[in-house]
């Protein structure tokens, strides 16, 4: 199911809800974290982001739009500083744990609704922290259920060795300064590698040189993605670097080992675009190699967001019609107090005033309880629904408020029951058409109370058009309804 960034009738420009939370104002790098709340009222999970080496808790927001997409998809984003670290140490782990526990309590996020990831050394930190969560579950209240890294050095010994190789070439390339920094930092903090590699095994997410499973064994149940710019020809031409000097080499081996250990959800993702910094500079080591929309969709799938996969409940396919999901309660119609979700399909010319498909769309209400449905409740719900929708749209588009009026619904009529229904109804709505014409107009609706095998659920199917039910567009709408089938069939 495609992921939609903006809800039906919403203003396309959302103001991000950023909050910088300080816990040590004397420390400008490690003393705060950043929270970006969802644009809507519901939080279904959280994603934790770490920037690369020297990154604080806000700089990465200029380099990626993961937080923007997450915000429109009921995910809270938490940005935690990486600082001058190439790997996770005990002090940093304590800071991360403190922040996650605080955010979890503040926003009531269950421990199984967390994802974590980062870019460069930030990804290395995220990897090792997640391993510790699963190695010591009693010490870490939150165990991330999805994990990703963006061109991260997942093998610290491999990073040390590749940096040594770069320096041995004795060229004057500017990136050799970074190689010297890496060697100096690892020598200072871990010491030069010794044959037993004890310190490296303690802090590195995995070691390619080891034949037995190391820290990576604690990721055997965790969905994991590693993203890389795989344009080796570019790296050879412009960086004088082979695959042996690229982070993708050891990252691919990590994925391979996880798969061999029994983790089919470990993936190597080759970026379809070349890495590029926000200043336009081509650089394979960049945040933009991560497709933000695809990543957030993957996270939602792994965190089992409600409603999950509706195709397991019913078949509702309309080729070329745009889908969207909304979850009850709707912010524009709080009086509709059902529990469940709405699954919509919009015709290609739904918002074209000159088309015979104007306002032609359908939606299904999948309700998680057995509700009583009759003419009175349908009339109240439909009136509340379209009054709220048109009012919100009129405000968003800054329409003349004096032209808007509450929607008025004609009496709901029960008609001959359509096959597959428990009951079938018709109704019309007189409304201010804030979406298409900016004038008063009418909608014609058929409502089908579906006969499905699960009597603990209520399933309603709506057909809508700006044209009366005698017009040709209703042949299409009626066919969509006829093709709607509950998985497991009906009780008839």
């Amino acid at each position: 199911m495609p992921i939609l960034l903006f809800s039906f009738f919403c203003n396309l420009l959302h103001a991000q809800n950023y909050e910088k939370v300080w816990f040590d104002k004397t420390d400008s790098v490690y003393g705060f974290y950043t929270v970006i709340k969802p644009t809507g009222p519901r939080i279904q999970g959280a994603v934790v982001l770490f920037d690369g080496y020297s990154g604080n808790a806000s700089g990465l927001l200029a380099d990626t739009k993961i937080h923007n997409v997450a915000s429109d998809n009921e995910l809270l984003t938490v940005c935690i500083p990486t600082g001058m670290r190439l790997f996770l140490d005990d002090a940093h782990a304590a800071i991360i744990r403190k922040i996650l526990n605080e955010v979890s309590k503040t926003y009531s996020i269950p421990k199984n609704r967390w994802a974590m990831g980062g870019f460069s050394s930030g990804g290395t930190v995220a990897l090792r922290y997640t391993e510790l969560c699963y190695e010591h579950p009693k010490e870490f209240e939150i165990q991330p259920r999805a994990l990703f890294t963006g061109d991260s050095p997942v093998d610290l010994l491999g990073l040390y060795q590749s940096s040594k190789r770069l320096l041995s070439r004795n060229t004057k390339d500017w990136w050799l300064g970074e190689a010297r920094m890496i060697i100096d930092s690892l020598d200072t903090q871990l010491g030069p590698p010794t044959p037993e590699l004890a310190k490296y095994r303690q802090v590195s997410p995995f070691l390619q040189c080891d034949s037995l499973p190391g820290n990576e064994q604690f990721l055997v149940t965790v969905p994991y993605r590693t993203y890389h710019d795989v344009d080796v020809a570019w790296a050879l031409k412009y960086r004088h670097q082979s695959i042996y000097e690229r982070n993708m080499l050891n990252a691919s081996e990590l994925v391979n080992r996880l798969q061999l250990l029994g983790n089919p959800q470990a993936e190597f993702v080759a970026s379809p675009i070349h890495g590029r910094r926000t200043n336009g500079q081509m650089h394979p080591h960049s945040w933009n190699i991560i497709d933000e929309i695809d990543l957030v969709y993957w996270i939602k799938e792994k965190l089992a967001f409600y409603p999950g996969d509706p195709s397991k409940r019913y078949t509702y396919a309309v080729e070329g019609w745009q889908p969207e999901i909304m979850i009850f309660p709707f912010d524009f119609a709080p009086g509709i107090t059902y529990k469940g979700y709405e699954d919509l399909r919009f015709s290609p010319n739904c918002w074209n005033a000159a088309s015979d498909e104007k306002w032609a769309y359908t939606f299904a209400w999948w309700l998680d309880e057995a509700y009583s449905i009759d003419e009175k409740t349908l009339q109240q719900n439909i009136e509340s629904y379209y009054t709220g929708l048109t009012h919100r749209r009129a405000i968003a588009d800054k329409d003349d408020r004096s032209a808007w009026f509450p929607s008025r619904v004609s009496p709901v009529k029960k008609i001959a029951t359509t096959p597959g229904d428990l009951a079938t109804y018709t109704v019309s709505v007189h409304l201010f058409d804030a979406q298409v014409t900016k004038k008063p107009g009418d909608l014609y609706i058929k409502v089908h109370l579906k006969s499905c095998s699960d009597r603990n659920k209520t399933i309603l199917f709506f057909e809508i058009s700006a044209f009366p039910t005698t017009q040709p567009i209703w042949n299409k709408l009626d066919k969509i309804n006829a093709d709607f089938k509950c998985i497991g069939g009906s009780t008839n």
Side-chain angles (χ1 to χ4, degrees):
M1 178 185 303
I3 203 167
L4 295 185
L5 306 185
F6 306 103
S7 295
F8 179 41
F9 286 137
C10 277
N11 187 355
L12 298 185
L13 296 178
H14 293 308
Q16 290 295 332
N17 194 355
Y18 297 93
E19 182 180 0
K20 186 179 286 188
V21 183
W22 288 91
F23 52 87
D24 183 0
K25 291 194 173 182
T26 65
D27 189 339
S28 62
V29 175
Y30 295 108
F32 74 95
Y33 60 92
T34 302
V35 171
I36 302 96
K37 302 173 187 175
T39 53
R42 186 182 296 103
I43 299 175
Q44 289 210 52
V47 56
V48 182
L49 300 180
F50 297 91
D51 205 358
Y53 183 81
S54 79
N56 63 19
S58 60
L60 65 91
L61 301 178
D63 296 323
T64 181
K65 301 306 177 190
I66 293 172
H67 56 291
N68 289 347
V69 182
S71 182
D72 280 303
N73 284 276
E74 300 181 337
L75 272 168
L76 183 85
T77 301
V78 185
C79 302
I80 298 178
T82 303
M84 310 296 279
R85 283 183 166 91
L86 292 171
F87 57 86
L88 181 72
D89 56 30
D90 291 342
H92 198 197
I95 291 174
I96 297 169
R97 183 183 174 195
K98 170 184 170 65
I99 292 172
L100 297 188
N101 290 342
E102 183 174 298
V103 172
S104 178
K105 292 176 183 177
T106 300
Y107 296 98
S108 301
I109 302 174
K111 66 178 184 180
N112 63 345
R113 290 296 181 90
W114 290 79
M116 180 173 288
F119 167 69
S120 191
S121 58
T124 309
V125 167
L127 263 171
R128 187 69 189 110
Y129 186 86
T130 302
E131 290 171 343
L132 290 172
C133 288
Y134 283 87
E135 183 180 4
H136 306 288
K138 292 183 179 180
E139 298 177 22
F140 294 84
E141 292 85 349
I142 293 166
Q143 284 84 43
R145 299 301 174 96
L147 176 66
F148 68 93
T149 53
D151 199 38
S152 296
V154 299
D155 178 346
L156 293 175
L157 178 62
L159 177 65
Y160 189 99
Q161 293 170 337
S162 64
S163 298
K164 281 283 193 182
R165 282 196 299 272
L166 289 172
L167 290 175
S168 69
R169 294 171 184 169
N170 199 29
T171 63
K172 299 184 182 299
D173 298 318
W174 60 264
W175 50 87
L176 295 186
E178 181 178 271
R180 292 189 185 93
M181 179 277 292
I182 290 170
I183 296 297
D184 291 343
S185 295
L186 293 176
D187 278 346
T188 299
Q189 297 172 65
L190 301 178
T194 57
E196 61 272 15
L197 297 175
K199 291 185 176 180
Y200 279 82
R201 288 196 178 93
Q202 181 179 353
V203 299
S204 186
F206 104 114
L207 293 179
Q208 184 274 335
C209 65
D210 278 350
S211 57
L212 296 176
N215 294 325
E216 72 274 13
Q217 67 186 293
F218 300 108
L219 299 178
V220 71
T221 62
V222 183
Y224 170 58
R225 278 185 169 185
T226 178
Y227 291 82
H228 299 273
D229 180 339
V230 297
D231 190 344
V232 178
W234 186 93
L236 289 167
K237 182 176 181 179
Y238 295 103
R239 290 289 187 269
H240 313 303
Q241 296 174 7
S242 73
I243 195 171
Y244 287 94
E245 284 81 50
R246 310 304 297 176
N247 291 326
M248 74 175 94
L249 178 71
N250 289 321
S252 66
E253 177 60 19
L254 172 58
V255 169
N256 188 48
R257 292 196 185 183
L258 287 174
Q259 291 177 350
L260 292 172
L261 284 170
N263 185 349
Q265 300 185 89
E267 304 175 50
F268 182 99
V269 182
S271 174
I273 63 172
H274 201 292
R276 188 183 293 272
R277 299 289 170 87
T278 54
N279 62 5
Q281 177 191 7
M282 298 287 284
H283 200 305
H285 194 60
S286 301
W287 269 104
N288 82 302
I289 63 174
I290 300 176
D291 182 326
E292 296 98 337
I293 295 175
D294 181 67
L295 172 68
V296 171
Y297 175 69
W298 178 78
I299 288 173
K300 290 177 67 175
E301 178 185 288
K302 300 309 176 185
L303 299 189
F305 268 30
Y306 184 85
D309 185 0
S311 67
K312 295 180 179 179
R313 304 184 182 104
Y314 49 78
T315 58
Y316 177 23
V318 189
E319 186 175 354
W321 287 40
Q322 181 65 52
E324 184 169 349
I325 293 284
M326 295 199 300
I327 300 175
F328 289 95
F330 304 144
D331 61 342
F332 56 85
I336 304 176
T337 58
Y338 297 135
K339 296 179 180 178
Y341 65 92
E342 179 181 66
D343 187 349
L344 305 102
R345 300 288 192 275
F346 301 99
S347 66
N349 294 300
C350 188
W351 313 130
N352 182 348
S355 172
D356 62 357
E357 291 185 348
K358 182 176 72 170
W359 275 96
Y361 73 108
T362 59
F363 59 83
W365 282 4
W366 176 274
L367 308 181
D368 287 331
E369 296 180 13
Y371 293 99
S372 176
I373 302 296
D374 57 22
E375 292 90 334
K376 182 178 179 180
T377 57
L378 284 174
Q379 183 159 344
Q380 292 172 340
N381 288 337
I382 292 170
E383 192 165 88
S384 176
Y385 186 93
Y386 283 103
T387 294
L389 275 180
T390 58
H391 187 252
R392 187 174 70 175
R393 184 67 187 198
I395 292 174
D397 288 355
K398 298 181 180 179
D399 293 336
D400 179 3
R401 294 287 297 280
S402 65
W404 179 86
F405 56 87
S407 300
R408 298 190 292 271
V409 177
S410 69
V412 176
K413 295 180 180 180
K414 191 172 185 178
I415 62 174
T417 304
T418 300
D421 291 359
L422 292 172
T424 310
Y425 306 87
T426 60
V427 64
S428 63
V429 184
H430 186 62
L431 47 69
F432 175 73
D433 184 355
Q435 177 69 17
V436 181
T437 66
K438 308 297 182 181
K439 297 177 182 178
D442 295 293
L443 295 183
Y444 301 88
I445 302 173
K446 289 183 183 179
V447 185
H448 304 268
L449 176 59
K450 290 298 181 182
S451 175
C452 294
S453 57
D454 189 348
R455 289 302 196 210
N456 295 317
K457 302 289 190 293
T458 305
I459 299 90
L460 292 165
F461 192 84
F462 296 74
E463 305 172 58
I464 302 96
S465 171
F467 299 96
T469 57
T470 55
Q471 297 302 305
I473 184 62
W474 284 91
N475 293 327
K476 294 181 182 179
L477 293 170
D478 288 341
K479 185 178 186 306
I480 296 170
N481 171 67
D483 289 342
F484 183 97
K485 296 290 187 300
C486 297
I487 302 299
S490 71
T491 57
N492 289 349

